[in-house]
Amino acid sequence: MSVPQPPEPIPGARLLFSLDPAVSHLNHGSFGAVPIGVQRAQQRLRDEMEANPLRFFTQGLVDRIAHTRRHLAGFLGADPQGSALIGNTTTGVAVVLQSMGLRPGDEILSTDHGYGAVSLAIARECRRTGAVSRVLPIPLDADDDQIVQTIRAGLRPGRTRLLVVDQLTSATAKLFPTAAIVAVAHENGVPVLVDAAHAPGMLATTVASIAADFWAGNLHKWGYAPRGTALLTVAPQWRERIEPLVVSWEQESGFPARVEWQATLDYASWLAAPAGLFTLRSLGVDRVREHNAALAAYGQRVVGDALGVSPAQLPDPGGPGVSLRLIPLPAGTGTTIDAARALQTRIGERLAAEVAVMSWNGRGWLRLTGQVYNTADEYERLAARLPALLDQR
């Protein structure tokens, strides 16, 4: 089977970013990269704030936040009145968990593909309330029907108070059939929280089409927004129950303002977020998605070949628009969180390549991304040098 051809670069896209050209940035999924124009928009807002802080915070800021929310929600196909700007997806998960009113014996159901910080949040809420956490194992090669059936069998109507699933998993770069999962859960009377940290900007699926009770996604990854920009969308029947993590002056305004208003938070990142979507639209949303997915698939294949991994052993994320890809590392490499982090650091320092190294189910995995600032030769250089570095362990 031949190696897929890399896509043609999008002209001028690399120049939109201030990334260090001496480093191959192959891990857009962790913290994103903010285009220069968006950085400047954010700085102009900060300049405005510092020129007259009192005016900035007290004259029209709530309305400006609401306007930004409407813009972002519209792009994502979410209800603006049922959405709130938040700092990140993990914050949205915490808001939902502490608003559920869990009691001893209630159950939170999740899968073993969940994000680590979300798992920690679930564990804390269980300690606080007496609820219990149960994790469903799902094979990496499970297809959509298998995933849905596993979750269907795992639900305990009357006891399972919340199902937490990922739209696109961080640890395993796997696309979950979230709309079908939500439908099955609702048939059993179980509300669903979708962790969509990687969805905004990358995936074409609209929030409304998933029909989850709660959906939280970051715009500072694939939507080119400044870091600390995310959206929490809540179904109508839950909105009155949603409480912020910190009570502030918009508390009596209800959702979403009570969640959005956090006193002296630096709101410049949120207000500059539409500039990120402008950049994405200027490049062409579909064009960027297709380019990034094709480049990630190319990188997965050339690095996999270098490590002796056959194409059949390379995980298929389950969707042509996915811009994250996994490569299994040699047995015994990166099998714990500490070992994975150490290897990630070594690759960054010795190979001048920023990647993600994940530990999942007792095995180490290399996660690569594709973005408009990347080129095929960056993956080829990593492929040429990585085997020797792994042999040195």
Side-chain angles (χ1 to χ4, degrees):
M1 188 180 296
S2 61
V3 176
Q5 292 300 304
E8 289 294 323
I10 296 178
R14 177 64 180 83
L15 299 176
L16 298 175
F17 297 85
S18 56
L19 295 164
D20 183 352
V23 177
S24 295
H25 301 273
L26 308 178
N27 183 20
H28 187 88
S30 286
F31 299 103
V34 184
I36 296 170
V38 182
Q39 294 178 40
R40 290 173 177 167
Q42 183 180 18
Q43 188 57 53
R44 286 193 295 270
L45 287 158
R46 285 176 170 159
D47 292 342
E48 177 190 346
M49 176 174 60
E50 297 306 333
N52 193 328
L54 186 65
R55 178 182 299 168
F56 183 86
F57 281 97
T58 63
Q59 297 185 25
L61 181 55
V62 172
D63 290 338
R64 293 173 77 176
I65 293 170
H67 176 76
T68 299
R69 181 211 319 137
R70 288 191 292 269
H71 187 102
L72 303 185
F75 174 78
L76 297 172
D79 178 4
Q81 299 307 311
S83 302
L85 288 166
I86 51 176
N88 52 44
T89 297
T90 309
T91 298
V93 170
V95 167
V96 171
L97 288 174
Q98 61 94 39
S99 298
M100 291 296 298
L102 297 172
R103 293 184 251 180
D106 288 343
E107 177 183 270
I108 302 173
L109 184 64
S110 59
T111 80
D112 61 349
H113 293 253
Y115 186 57
V118 170
S119 299
L120 292 173
I122 292 172
R124 187 187 72 168
E125 193 63 18
C126 288
R127 290 194 302 271
R128 191 178 72 84
T129 64
V132 296
S133 171
R134 189 159 58 89
V135 178
L136 291 176
I138 294 181
L140 189 59
D141 60 354
D143 62 24
D144 287 356
D145 288 341
Q146 290 172 316
I147 294 171
V148 171
Q149 292 309 316
T150 298
I151 290 175
R152 184 195 299 274
L155 294 170
R156 296 174 178 175
R159 182 175 180 184
T160 305
R161 289 286 309 283
L162 182 68
L163 170 64
V164 182
V165 294
D166 296 73
Q167 188 167 350
L168 176 62
T169 67
S170 176
T172 58
K174 188 171 181 62
L175 189 66
F176 271 37
T178 45
I181 291 170
V182 168
V184 165
H186 285 177
E187 289 173 6
N188 290 272
V190 177
V192 183
L193 165 59
V194 173
D195 177 343
H198 288 277
M202 185 202 297
L203 303 179
T205 308
T206 63
V207 175
S209 68
I210 297 172
D213 301 84
F214 315 99
W215 180 99
N218 295 322
L219 285 108
H220 54 244
K221 293 181 183 287
W222 304 92
Y224 299 152
R227 291 175 196 87
T229 305
L231 200 73
L232 170 65
T233 298
V234 179
Q237 66 270 26
W238 293 99
R239 291 171 192 170
E240 291 186 4
R241 296 177 56 173
I242 295 296
E243 294 286 348
L245 299 178
V246 178
V247 173
S248 194
W249 285 104
E250 290 295 319
Q251 178 67 16
E252 299 306 316
S253 298
F255 184 85
R258 66 167 48 155
V259 170
E260 291 174 333
W261 187 258
Q262 294 296 305
T264 51
L265 185 74
D266 183 354
Y267 298 97
S269 60
W270 294 357
L271 300 182
L277 294 184
F278 176 81
T279 302
L280 181 58
R281 288 186 173 112
S282 297
L283 292 171
V285 178
D286 291 339
R287 183 188 191 190
V288 168
R289 287 171 175 161
E290 292 170 5
H291 171 276
N292 292 349
L295 194 55
Y298 176 77
Q300 179 193 42
R301 186 64 183 276
V302 296
V303 176
D305 283 352
L307 296 181
V309 180
S310 70
Q313 294 174 303
L314 293 173
D316 182 348
V322 175
S323 304
L324 297 92
R325 294 278 177 152
L326 280 192
I327 302 157
L329 291 170
T333 302
T335 57
T336 67
I337 292 177
D338 288 344
R341 288 175 176 170
L343 177 57
Q344 179 173 307
T345 300
R346 286 175 59 211
I347 293 172
E349 292 177 346
R350 300 188 187 184
L351 305 186
E354 298 296 352
V355 301
V357 179
M358 322 296 287
S359 173
W360 185 77
N361 275 8
R363 178 151 196 179
W365 304 83
L366 183 73
R367 192 190 74 186
L368 299 176
T369 61
Q371 189 48 265
V372 296
Y373 50 73
N374 293 129
T375 55
D377 64 291
E378 293 180 299
Y379 304 92
E380 294 161 3
R381 287 198 301 270
L382 177 64
R385 302 176 64 192
L386 182 59
L389 182 141
L390 295 179
D391 287 342
Q392 297 170 9
R393 67 185 189 277

